[in-house]
Amino acid sequence: QQQVKQSPQSLIVQKGGISIINCAYENTAFDYFPWYQQFPGKGPALLIAIRPDVSEKKEGRFTISFNKSAKQFSLHIMDSQPGDSATYFCAASPSYKYIFGTGTRLKVLA
Amino acid sequence: DAGVIQSPRHEVTEMGQEVTLRCKPISGHNSLFWYRQTMMRGLELLIYFNNNVPIDDSGMPEDRFSAKMPNASFSTLKIQPSEPRDSAVYFCASSPGPNEKLFFGSGTQLSVL
C-alpha cells in the first residue's frame, strides 16, 4: 500500500514531441505529489508538484494531471527538448515520508 | 545559498572499513533527510531529522548504519563496518519543514570493494 508505481521505465521522444510519464498509488492518505528531475551526477530537483484538491497544474511546458478517483497522476512535457533528457521520479507523501517511484529515463532526440 | 553540500563526492573503500558521509543543509531548514539510491531499490529514506532530533530511523538497514546531527548545520552518516552491498549513491536533503519541498545535495557515490 506504500508503493508508487511508475511507468514507463524508459522513454524516447523526438524533439518537439510530448513526453508522458504515469504514476499510480494506493494509499489514500497521500496528499502531496511532486515530480523530481535528476541529471547524471546530480541530486533530484523538484520540477512541479500538486495536491489532490486540483486536477491539473501547469508550469511552463510541464503539466501534472491528477485523477483522485483512479489514484493516478501523470507528468506531461510539452515541446520536449534535448535538454529535458534526464531521469524523472514521481513521489507521493502523506507527511515527511516521500515514497518515490522507480524512475523514468527520458531521452529526447534532437 | 550554496544549496545542500555533501562530502565527499566519491568514496572508494574496502570491506570492513568505516565510512563517514557528511552533509551541510541549507541554512534555516529544520528538516534533514538521508536517502540511498540504487538501481534495484530506487530512492529509499534512511533517516529523518527534525530540529536536529532523529524522528524516523526505520529505513536504516541495520546496526552498521548510524546518523547524527549535532547541530543545525551539520549531519553525518556512518557505516561501520562497510560491506560491498552498501555500494550506492547516498543523498542528503533538507527542507524548511517536514512536508515541504525537498532540496537534495549532489550525493556521495560510495563503492565498497
Side-chain angles (χ1 to χ4, degrees):
Chain A
Q1 204 179 23
Q2 284 291 87
Q3 277 188 322
V4 176
K5 295 181 180 179
Q6 184 172 346
S7 64
Q9 189 173 5
S10 62
L11 182 61
I12 299 176
V13 173
Q14 294 287 337
K15 178 182 176 182
I18 302 173
S19 304
I20 301 174
I21 305 170
N22 301 299
C23 284
Y25 64 98
E26 295 180 359
N27 190 339
T28 55
F30 291 154
D31 65 356
Y32 181 63
F33 302 89
W35 283 90
Y36 280 81
Q37 180 187 55
Q38 185 178 25
F39 293 105
K42 301 291 186 183
L46 179 67
L47 193 60
I48 186 172
I50 197 168
R51 294 196 183 270
D53 51 344
V54 296
S55 61
E56 186 175 281
K57 184 173 182 179
K58 183 176 181 179
E59 290 184 2
R61 296 184 294 109
F62 302 93
T63 300
I64 299 179
S65 296
F66 185 81
N67 186 330
K68 188 173 181 178
S69 60
K71 290 185 279 188
Q72 295 175 348
F73 58 111
S74 60
L75 176 69
H76 296 235
I77 306 174
M78 312 299 289
D79 187 25
S80 299
Q81 300 296 312
D84 297 330
S85 297
T87 300
Y88 293 80
F89 295 91
C90 64
S93 168
S95 60
Y96 63 86
K97 200 161 191 172
Y98 284 42
I99 308 298
F100 283 90
T102 49
T104 296
R105 185 171 292 185
L106 171 65
K107 184 173 179 64
V108 181
L109 301 177
Chain B
D1 201 318
V4 177
I5 300 172
Q6 290 187 246
S7 63
R9 285 300 311 275
H10 303 275
E11 177 78 41
V12 180
T13 190
E14 294 190 347
M15 182 173 64
Q17 296 298 306
E18 177 179 298
V19 175
T20 299
L21 311 181
R22 296 172 175 78
C23 174
K24 176 177 167 47
I26 294 173
S27 177
H29 283 192
N30 296 327
S31 296
L32 184 137
F33 306 80
W34 283 99
Y35 281 86
R36 179 171 67 177
Q37 186 175 41
T38 61
M39 289 296 293
M40 290 297 295
R41 301 175 67 90
L43 273 162
E44 300 174 281
L45 177 63
L46 299 177
I47 188 167
Y48 158 57
F49 291 87
N50 192 45
N51 292 322
N52 312 336
V53 176
I55 302 299
D56 182 353
D57 65 356
S58 60
M60 296 287 262
E62 45 196 280
D63 291 346
R64 297 185 297 107
F65 286 69
S66 62
K68 294 182 179 180
M69 191 164 186
N71 57 62
S73 59
F74 185 66
S75 177
T76 60
L77 178 68
K78 186 178 292 186
I79 308 172
Q80 165 64 19
S82 58
E83 296 183 4
R85 60 193 168 120
D86 301 331
S87 298
V89 181
Y90 291 81
F91 288 104
C92 176
S94 70
S95 69
N99 197 16
E100 299 188 49
K101 177 180 176 179
L102 275 181
F103 293 79
F104 283 83
S106 294
T108 295
Q109 174 78 58
L110 174 64
S111 298
V112 183
L113 307 178

